[in-house]
Amino acid sequence: MQISTNAGDWAAIESLAETTDISDYAIDDKACFESLTLLARCELGHVDDPRAAVAGLLQKYDDQAIVPIVLYEVARNRNDRAWASELFQTALGRRDSLNHPSRLMLARIAERESDAEAVIDLLYGNVSVDRDSDELRALASAFVNAKPRTATVDFIQSLSPELKAISFYGRVIGSIRFNSGALDVAADAFQTAIDADPDDLVAHLGLIN
């Protein structure tokens, strides 16, 4: 089902749902399966009232974060930003039920919702700081955009020298230090970013500032 979801093969998901017995599934797996099925049916236009169907599944699995996480796409694909935001907040309210994959999924939604505080809350301490990844970059960007906190400095210091030498992270460190008023340190970080990538226009602008 996950392969079909990634490929946007909604018909395959609907077909699989019709032939799969989920009665013995764990509650979180049932919630995920039914949410993906409803998403597929909505994308195929096989649901007369998507809002009512989504509300029904949210009520059926009233403590499972995966339901609003998956069904967030139903709202976004209909350009209903208010509904999407509501589903995002519902998922945040159910964060106690998150496993690692669903935590990363919700963090990506938080990034789309421009909620830096939520990104930090979801990812800090839950992603590796030893290697570059999309999740680490999302966390780094969130620290730039969120209010300053003690964890911001801790995050910078936790990055390996190899990561700090990458232009993106040099620019992040420069922006964080700039925001805190440590201009000399910020200048050094922006220069490091430029040394790694001379075409990094954002780092050039940061150094000029």
Side-chain angles (χ1 to χ4, degrees), residues 74-130:
V74 176
R76 283 300 294 249
N77 292 344
R78 283 157 180 72
N79 295 315
D80 192 330
R81 297 296 299 273
W83 187 20
S85 181
E86 178 184 328
L87 289 168
F88 167 57
Q89 292 300 327
T90 299
L92 283 179
R94 301 179 178 187
R95 71 185 71 187
D96 288 346
S97 67
L98 294 171
N99 56 24
H100 187 68
S102 60
R103 177 178 295 276
L104 299 185
M105 292 170 65
L106 183 53
R108 285 193 288 271
I109 292 175
E111 191 175 19
R112 292 168 69 181
E113 291 287 314
S114 301
D115 191 334
E117 305 290 339
V119 173
I120 293 172
D121 180 62
L122 291 162
L123 294 184
Y124 187 54
N126 291 294
V127 296
S128 172
V129 295
D130 297 326

Side-chain angles (χ1 to χ4, degrees), residues 170 173-179 182-191 206-207:
I173 294 169
S175 298
I176 289 172
R177 294 301 193 184
F178 179 85
N179 291 342
L183 301 185
D184 290 343
V185 180
D188 289 342
F190 283 128
Q191 186 61 59
L207 186 58

Side-chain angles (χ1 to χ4, degrees), residues 6-175:
N6 292 340
D9 191 347
W10 308 120
I13 294 173
E14 186 177 48
S15 177
L16 183 63
E18 292 171 351
T19 58
T20 303
D21 179 8
I22 66 171
S23 59
D24 292 331
Y25 283 19
I27 188 69
D28 54 340
D29 291 331
K30 286 182 180 179
C32 184
F33 191 97
E34 290 194 44
S35 297
L36 288 171
T37 301
L38 179 54
L39 171 61
R41 295 187 67 234
C42 287
E43 293 308 300
L44 291 169
H46 295 172
V47 179
D48 292 334
D49 188 345
R51 273 187 172 272
V54 168
L57 204 57
L58 287 170
Q59 184 175 16
K60 180 177 181 179
Y61 297 106
D62 61 2
D63 62 347
Q64 294 295 313
I66 193 62
V67 178
I69 288 173
V70 170
L71 298 180
Y72 173 87
E73 297 302 329
V74 176
R76 283 300 294 249
N77 292 344
R78 283 157 180 72
N79 295 315
D80 192 330
R81 297 296 299 273
W83 187 20
S85 181
E86 178 184 328
L87 289 168
F88 167 57
Q89 292 300 327
T90 299
L92 283 179
R94 301 179 178 187
R95 71 185 71 187
D96 288 346
S97 67
L98 294 171
N99 56 24
H100 187 68
S102 60
R103 177 178 295 276
L104 299 185
M105 292 170 65
L106 183 53
R108 285 193 288 271
I109 292 175
E111 191 175 19
R112 292 168 69 181
E113 291 287 314
S114 301
D115 191 334
E117 305 290 339
V119 173
I120 293 172
D121 180 62
L122 291 162
L123 294 184
Y124 187 54
N126 291 294
V127 296
S128 172
V129 295
D130 297 326
R131 61 181 180 82
D132 192 16
S133 67
D134 291 341
E135 291 77 21
L136 185 60
R137 290 189 177 222
L139 177 59
S141 297
F143 273 119
V144 172
N145 296 320
K147 296 178 181 178
R149 65 195 70 201
T150 303
T152 306
V153 177
D154 294 339
F155 172 73
I156 290 175
Q157 293 175 343
S158 71
L159 296 174
S160 67
E162 292 77 15
L163 285 176
K164 291 178 180 178
I166 296 174
S167 179
F168 173 83
Y169 294 101
R171 187 192 332 136
V172 163
I173 294 169
S175 298

